Amino acid sequence: MTRPDPGAIVQPTLRARRLGLHTQHQPVVLMRTDCHVCLAEGLAGRPQVLLSAAGREVRAALFQVEGNSLLGPDEAALSETAWEMLGVTEGAPIAVTHAPALESLASVRSRIYGHRLNAAAFASIVGDVATARYTDVHLAAFLTASAVLPLDEEETIDLTAAMIGVGDRLSWDAPVVVDKHCVGGLPGNRTTPLVVAIVAANGLIMPKTSSRAITSPAGTADTMETLAPVDLDIAALKRVVEQEGGCIVWGGAIHLSPADDKFVRIERELDIDTEGQLIASVLSKKIAAGSTHVVIDIPVGPTAKVRSEENARHLAERMRMVAERSGLEARCLLTDGTQPVGRGIGPALEARDLLAVLRNAPGAPDDLRRRAASLAGVALEIGGKSEPGKGAALALKTLADGRAWTKFQAICEAQGGMRAPPLAAQTHPIVADRAGRVVHIDNRKLARLAKLAGAPDVKAAGIFMEARLGQDVERGQPLLHVHAETAGELAYALDYAVAAGDIIRVET
Amino acid sequence: MTRPDPGAIVQPTLRARRLGLHTQHQPVVLMRTDCHVCLAEGLAGRPQVLLSAAGREVRAALFQVEGNSLLGPDEAALSETAWEMLGVTEGAPIAVTHAPALESLASVRSRIYGHRLNAAAFASIVGDVATARYTDVHLAAFLTASAVLPLDEEETIDLTAAMIGVGDRLSWDAPVVVDKHCVGGLPGNRTTPLVVAIVAANGLIMPKTSSRAITSPAGTADTMETLAPVDLDIAALKRVVEQEGGCIVWGGAIHLSPADDKFVRIERELDIDTEGQLIASVLSKKIAAGSTHVVIDIPVGPTAKVRSEENARHLAERMRMVAERSGLEARCLLTDGTQPVGRGIGPALEARDLLAVLRNAPGAPDDLRRRAASLAGVALEIGGKSEPGKGAALALKTLADGRAWTKFQAICEAQGGMRAPPLAAQTHPIVADRAGRVVHIDNRKLARLAKLAGAPDVKAAGIFMEARLGQDVERGQPLLHVHAETAGELAYALDYAVAAGDIIRVET
């Protein structure tokens, strides 16, 4: 078949307008139904359009506006996400055209129909995801398709490589760069800032980038943010690590894995967290951060993310294999996941636990201290700072003699200045309805309760634990305290506490 | 555990404002970041909120607005979808609170993790979908999870029952109410209006509700809309059928299957169409329409939706079984799906084919005529209007003697008045690049081409076919003409025609 030259097509343009509109991170453009571009281009009913300005292109969801109250007929109003991506100024001309078909969606459809994908397909999908070409519907379909039929080892390796491929990558002038990760699911298990402080205090390099919460009440970045700025760019991160040997910053701000940030937002909305995605997410960020070794904490317990030792061993082996194939050495530790670690759940409350341990305060949670020391110990052994089997003792000593606390303060100052975590305006106890012994603590319900109270978005919100497994309690004795910023959120969380049944089970 | 009474919680309200904003059918609320409700309720970062006004509730996506250019601090601006669902007036008080957790999402998550669902789970999911409680992300996840691990027969039955349960249901004072459906995938296969006219002209009841296009360039409702109004409510539909014996209306306007409309929008964005969803969608609408029998057209061809006779037989058997378990008798016809039917592809172009057949115009497409007659023939036999094996002949006679044309015009008038389908402003031929014989026609590429030209949203857009399989053509002879409304859309479609390779293959 032949076709003629369609001739020079005039780019239909509108004037850019900034609305200050936050659209759940989606690029969105608002245009009048009767604007000349909608009419000339036949855009009515199209879900997406292509915006172009000064060499940049953005695919945006098209919202149409009837009537003249909101927009002029020659205006294209952009959501904040679209505005930042397109990098325009108020009134600048924007060309609006049909969004071309995304070839990578054929691969997503293929996986929806149950076929496995190859490296090229993952590279193409992740490339389009990282540049925000996918709608939330596309993202949700890809993530779901990769969960129902779980990614196999080859697919996980390919997804990991694809995710590294689209981000920036750091390099360090050191033979060993250690990293640490916890697969999560255990409230309050906030060892990372302690591990970084201990490891850096002993002279190793640990450029730690952390995520915000996905399905939990707090991510390390959320917690650390109550103590120091975490939104550092790559230059600032390098400066902090070169000066102090370690950092604890938010990974999302430095684009080590731009696709991952998009995936995480949707996983959060769906409240899912799958093995393949988890491995690719974790390893891609470690490799991009320039790490050579990573210590991985896998808490195991009936209400933790990993529920059985069998599942934990499978995850550990898959993680180790994918890491090896990706040029990274992973060491996995299976740890106790039967109850929360420390006393706080939620960003600020967990930060208070960290400070207590670092300062050797009386009553500082010993379980948190020992966990951090065992993870830091492995890192110290890997890095040759300790003989095999003696790393944990060195780590505990580094905490006890105040060197970790000194290093942590230095890191916070280098990241922009240390600050005190906030306290919630509203607190309310949940008390034992009988005398007896604490026999079960439901980590999932605790996490839900803390989230309903406002964590992680409300930094001071969460739970302060009083009860531990095996403890004897009196009737009316507080088992935990809910912390919230507003009466509405407190009531919302307490409603759930009543409906949820035993969060902490006491048996006579 | 015990908890105190949280006390009377004051409902935080804002004033309703209508923006005339079309947000791809999602309920959306815009609120100022600094409004007292956002601050008091801690809504920052929440994806959804619950809007309440005068006894109605709507879950809406929360878009926050910075600065004062768009909204007052006491205003909640609603998208058109949210506005209609909430049924408020300008300035009315709206309470905005946290959206409670949706219990049915636990079932969606369960299916994402590979578990099958029971009737209660489908009822709960479909109930939340029908009342627009799901975000697009939730919808995409449910549909994808139901595709990767395909719905089994029991699940399809349960989904069908759930979809009937949430919609209105018609009943007719007749022992036999026939319906007709085509599973699609074959461009131009627009037999429904002909079948309804033939069947109703012979005295049977056929209350036909049709969908708009899901992944094709035209649905029956899209095509019919170029000839008469199709957005009838239930009262109007009943009046038309009681008067004329048949109708051809859009199912979405009468809420026979409100959940299906939501699913279809997402399936369209993902360009997927799965067996389980297809069966539940089709059968739920037939049963809700009060039908006792349905004739189902399954075109089979290498580039049709159903590619092999084996797949077609599987689909037919599953369709028949699920129908039987749902109290409906289904008769499936496997038909030729190797090339388009008729000459037009796209709403208005297909409508022109219909008119040619009904009017017995010279050059009217005979393939379309014969297909419609064979489907109508089965319906006439089921309804006792013809002896077995003689239905198709009666149907052809009903077309030939003008009774079908008379009935069709009467139905159009009863639906609100007959009109002429529009003609496109832009047309362009695609010609043979060599002399030879037409050996292959790619239905999928044709459909894509027609959609890129603007179909189905642009009614006049699409393709007018010149070539048929087996035909001899000269070099430069038109194989088809692309019809579009704008030069931009025409160029967009022609770009695809070049890139797509052989849409119609000519071999020397």
Side-chain angles (χ1 to χ4, degrees), chain A residues 1 3-4 20 22 24 40 46 62 64 66 99 101 109 113 135 269 273 428 431 433 448 486 492 495 498, chain B residues 1 3-4 20 22 24 40 46 62 64 66 99 101 113 135 269-270 273 428 430 433 448 486 492 495 498:
Chain A
M1 289 188 290
R3 61 154 294 210
H22 294 270
Q24 303 285 348
R46 304 273 168 167
L62 173 61
Q64 295 204 309
E66 275 179 302
R109 270 191 292 279
Y113 287 119
T135 65
E269 185 166 340
D273 199 352
H428 202 284
V431 302
D433 58 1
R448 185 82 177 271
T486 68
Y492 190 50
D495 278 346
V498 170
Chain B
M1 290 187 291
R3 61 156 292 214
H22 295 270
Q24 304 285 347
R46 305 272 168 167
L62 173 62
Q64 295 203 310
E66 275 178 303
Y113 287 119
T135 64
E269 185 165 340
L270 289 173
D273 199 352
H428 203 284
I430 289 182
D433 57 1
R448 183 83 177 268
T486 67
Y492 190 51
D495 277 346
V498 170

Side-chain angles (χ1 to χ4, degrees), chain A residues 283-353:
Chain A
L283 297 183
S284 66
K285 283 180 289 192
K286 306 306 172 202
I287 293 165
S291 301
T292 58
H293 295 74
V294 58
V295 183
I296 293 169
D297 177 9
I298 305 180
V300 189
T303 58
K305 185 183 287 179
V306 179
R307 302 198 197 189
S308 71
E309 208 165 299
E310 188 191 337
N311 291 353
R313 291 198 189 289
H314 181 269
L315 174 61
E317 182 53 23
R318 176 65 61 88
M319 187 81 88
R320 203 189 58 70
M321 281 294 296
V322 175
E324 188 180 303
R325 291 279 302 275
S326 309
L328 179 71
E329 192 182 321
R331 293 266 283 272
C332 297
L333 269 74
L334 275 52
T335 58
D336 175 19
T338 56
Q339 62 182 330
V341 181
R343 305 193 64 179
I345 300 170
L349 289 160
E350 294 176 18
R352 288 172 182 275
D353 280 350

Side-chain angles (χ1 to χ4, degrees), chain B residues 13-29:
Chain B
T13 65
L14 294 170
R15 291 186 306 107
R17 181 162 158 204
R18 185 174 191 171
L19 287 182
L21 182 65
H22 295 270
T23 49
Q24 304 285 347
H25 303 281
Q26 293 176 80
V28 172
V29 59

Side-chain angles (χ1 to χ4, degrees), chain A residues 1-4 6 9 17-24 26 28 30 33 39-48 61-67 69-70 80 98-103 105 108-109 111-114 135-138 140-149 266 268-274 428-433 448 451-455 457-458 475 479-480 485-489 491-492 494-498 501-504, chain B residues 1-4 6 9 17-24 26 28 30 33 39-48 61-67 69-70 80 98-103 105 108-109 111-114 135-138 140-149 266 268-274 428-433 448 451-455 457-458 475 479-480 485-489 491-492 494-498 501-504:
Chain A
M1 289 188 290
T2 60
R3 61 154 294 210
I9 298 163
R17 181 162 157 204
R18 185 174 193 173
L19 288 183
L21 183 64
H22 294 270
T23 49
Q24 303 285 348
Q26 293 175 81
V28 172
L30 277 65
T33 312
L39 298 175
E41 288 284 294
L43 297 177
R46 304 273 168 167
Q48 276 193 317
L62 173 61
F63 288 180
Q64 295 204 309
V65 183
E66 275 179 302
S69 66
L70 211 57
E80 288 298 284
H98 289 268
L102 281 179
E103 292 310 318
L105 289 179
V108 174
R109 270 191 292 279
R111 211 168 193 298
I112 291 175
Y113 287 119
T135 65
D136 283 2
V137 164
H138 301 149
F142 173 68
L143 291 170
T144 302
S146 306
V148 183
L149 173 72
I266 302 298
R268 219 172 141 164
E269 185 166 340
L270 290 172
D271 202 3
I272 61 169
D273 199 352
T274 60
H428 202 284
I430 289 181
V431 302
D433 58 1
R448 185 82 177 271
K451 288 198 289 183
L452 293 175
D457 293 313
V458 179
R475 183 167 192 275
L479 300 170
L480 59 83
E485 202 70 325
T486 68
E489 285 169 307
Y492 190 50
L494 294 175
D495 278 346
Y496 170 75
V498 170
D502 279 348
I503 297 176
I504 297 178
Chain B
M1 290 187 291
T2 58
R3 61 156 292 214
I9 297 161
R17 181 162 158 204
R18 185 174 191 171
L19 287 182
L21 182 65
H22 295 270
T23 49
Q24 304 285 347
Q26 293 176 80
V28 172
L30 277 65
T33 311
L39 299 176
E41 288 285 292
L43 298 176
R46 305 272 168 167
Q48 277 194 316
L62 173 62
F63 288 1
Q64 295 203 310
V65 183
E66 275 178 303
S69 65
L70 210 56
E80 287 299 283
H98 288 269
L102 280 180
E103 291 310 318
L105 288 179
V108 174
R109 270 190 293 278
R111 213 173 191 298
I112 291 175
Y113 287 119
T135 64
D136 283 3
V137 164
H138 300 148
F142 173 69
L143 291 169
T144 301
S146 307
V148 182
L149 171 72
I266 302 299
R268 216 172 144 166
E269 185 165 340
L270 289 173
D271 203 1
I272 61 167
D273 199 352
T274 60
H428 203 284
I430 289 182
V431 302
D433 57 1
R448 183 83 177 268
K451 288 199 289 184
L452 293 176
D457 293 314
V458 179
R475 183 167 192 276
L479 300 170
L480 59 84
E485 201 70 324
T486 67
E489 285 169 308
Y492 190 51
L494 294 175
D495 277 346
Y496 171 76
V498 170
D502 279 348
I503 297 175
I504 297 177

